[in-house]
Amino acid sequence: MNDSSEHSINVCNNLLRGEVSAGQTYGQAILKHEAGAVEAELDRIRKEHAEAAILLGELIRGLGGVPDDHSGTWGVFAMAIQATANLFGKESALEALQRGEAKGLKDYEDALDDEEVSTAVKEAVRRDLAPRIVRHIQALERLERAVHDAGGAGETADQ
């Protein structure tokens, strides 16, 4: 394995840890919402993060590496932030998810800007991974508006 492949593997494993962390964080946020539209949308996004983790794992294996199987310290930190946000209400939980998605998008943009990252990784980021994050941010903004318009309680938006 050459240095370029090793660097791409490290970048992909960092992105993979972020995706695993995001999935865990969405799991926490889903607990805050009753069954309904908000919960369904959060679960859809959680599943897309799981799909992204699978894609990143495949990229890592294709480069000759071994995918990380945990979220690492980023996951612990993200879960703590989300748990705290959950205590302050549904809008805070959605805002925390938006901040996490923005961090994920920045990580993907950094990978695209990194000259040492392989073309295959950049293509997957450009084609699949980054656009998904942009859609997640848009969906979370819509959900936050709906919860806010329902008076902050979110019960109406969830039903």
Side-chain angles (χ1 to χ4, degrees):
M1 173 178 345
N2 62 36
D3 288 343
S4 179
S5 292
E6 191 167 329
H7 180 74
S8 291
I9 290 167
N10 290 336
V11 168
C12 284
N13 265 320
N14 182 52
L15 296 171
L16 174 59
R17 286 189 297 274
E19 292 291 353
V20 171
S21 171
Q24 293 169 344
T25 304
Y26 274 89
Q28 285 288 313
I30 288 167
L31 297 175
K32 182 69 179 167
H33 295 274
E34 301 85 27
V38 173
E39 179 195 33
E41 185 68 358
L42 295 179
D43 191 50
R44 182 191 65 75
I45 294 171
R46 182 190 59 76
K47 288 175 183 173
E48 287 190 1
H49 281 292
E51 292 167 3
I54 291 167
L55 175 60
L56 286 162
E58 291 169 356
L59 285 168
I60 293 165
R61 281 188 286 283
L63 291 165
V66 177
D68 285 349
D69 61 355
H70 58 82
S71 59
T73 55
W74 174 243
V76 173
F77 178 70
M79 295 275 288
I81 296 227
Q82 188 61 46
T84 301
N86 285 347
L87 291 174
F88 290 101
K90 294 175 182 183
E91 284 182 272
S92 293
L94 293 172
E95 289 169 9
L97 291 171
Q98 285 180 44
R99 284 192 301 277
E101 294 286 357
K103 163 78 170 89
L105 182 57
K106 170 129 180 38
D107 290 345
Y108 282 123
E109 289 169 346
D110 289 346
L112 288 172
D113 291 340
D114 188 333
E115 293 179 10
E116 295 181 55
V117 171
S118 76
T119 303
V121 171
K122 287 184 179 187
E123 181 56 32
V125 168
R126 214 177 276 112
R127 182 188 64 240
D128 296 317
L129 299 165
R132 232 181 258 197
I133 298 292
V134 170
R135 289 191 302 271
H136 295 169
I137 292 169
Q138 293 166 343
L140 290 168
E141 288 170 349
R142 285 191 303 274
L143 289 176
E144 188 175 16
R145 281 192 302 274
V147 168
H148 180 74
D149 291 348
E155 304 340 309
T156 306
D158 277 352
Q159 297 175 356

